[in-house]
Amino acid sequence: MSYKVDVTGISPSTSQTELSDFFSFCGKIASIDYAEKSGKATVNFEKASAAKTALMLNGGTLDGSTLTVTSDAPVQDEPHHDDPSAPPEQHDKPRAAIAAEYLAKGYQLSDQVLQRAIEIDHNKGISQKFLSYVQDLDKTAGARALGPEQTISAKLQETFDQAKTNAKNLDEEKGYSKTFWDVRTISSLVASVAVIHAVHLSQYLSQALASPFGQKVKSFYTTTSKQVVDIHEEARRIAAEQKKTEQGAASGAPAEAPVPPPTALA
């Protein structure tokens, strides 16, 4: 069984591969029926939740053309499957996270589309399966690197906040925080990163949680309290990590933590 959405307004320059790439962010595609001359397509997804994410994209832009994404019948999300034993798939992600991936890839989504993603997450909630996945990444890496009951995101946030406080105190005392801000921040974070590198953080979210703003990243993926600006911020972070990975590949240096394709979390 598949779940279909109808797409119109497709640019004449858009190939079926490009159309497939665009909608693959929603989840696994079973098939696409694309009439290029008419600018119309039917996209069939394996999961209802993927089709509902596609409907969220109504008004999104591909190759300069605004897409209209509709369905003949109401599409409802499947009930949450909370078994955390298997890694979540693309369709399990919060819609705001998927929207951030679109923006990071360079696709254009209006703030109305982003707000729609936020509202779906708020109304549907985030599955226990996905929550467990993110929390386990943070706790497992933290326990191995820092000890029991420790998380990577909390440790790095603590280090960053302490460095910021130290810099502020120095500024108040001697008025040269700029120099000491750089030195203290870098030295503190390098110490923490050295610990993190002892752990094999190969997944994208692991790398994100191991950033100075790890707690903020964790909150983005595990809570439904978001704003449009949060999606834009997450998109910039994803794009920056992708750029760093690409530059490392171009220079021949091994990437610290490869970013997986949008259709895979593990």
Side-chain angles (χ1 to χ4, degrees), residues 1 26 35 75-76 81 121 133 199 222 261:
M1 183 176 181
C26 301
V75 178
Q76 301 296 330
H81 299 290
D121 285 343
Y133 177 74
V199 184
T222 58

Side-chain angles (χ1 to χ4, degrees), residues 26-65:
C26 301
K28 291 182 180 178
I29 297 173
S31 64
I32 295 180
D33 300 317
Y34 181 24
E36 295 188 32
K37 291 183 179 180
S38 67
K40 298 179 180 179
T42 297
V43 184
N44 299 288
F45 292 95
E46 292 186 7
K47 296 290 185 180
S49 55
K52 187 165 184 177
T53 300
L55 292 173
M56 173 191 84
L57 298 171
N58 184 39
T61 303
L62 177 61
D63 290 337
S65 293

Side-chain angles (χ1 to χ4, degrees), residues 56-128:
M56 173 191 84
L57 298 171
N58 184 39
T61 303
L62 177 61
D63 290 337
S65 293
T66 300
L67 303 179
T68 299
V69 187
T70 59
S71 177
D72 292 337
V75 178
Q76 301 296 330
D77 281 305
E78 299 94 343
H80 282 319
H81 299 290
D82 292 339
D83 178 11
S85 59
E89 298 183 59
Q90 181 71 8
H91 64 266
D92 291 317
K93 290 182 182 179
R95 266 50 179 242
I98 294 175
E101 290 177 350
Y102 270 104
L103 295 178
K105 188 69 174 179
Y107 294 116
Q108 296 180 17
L109 300 180
S110 68
D111 284 354
Q112 182 178 7
V113 172
L114 302 186
Q115 187 60 48
R116 201 177 297 150
I118 292 170
E119 289 172 358
I120 294 175
D121 285 343
H122 180 75
N123 293 332
K124 181 176 182 286
I126 300 173
S127 73
Q128 187 58 44

Side-chain angles (χ1 to χ4, degrees), residues 6 8 14 18 30 50 84 98 112 139 142 151 166 184 214 235:
D6 298 313
T8 59
T14 300
E18 290 170 329
I98 294 175
Q112 182 178 7
K139 289 173 63 176
T151 63
N166 290 344
R184 285 172 178 264

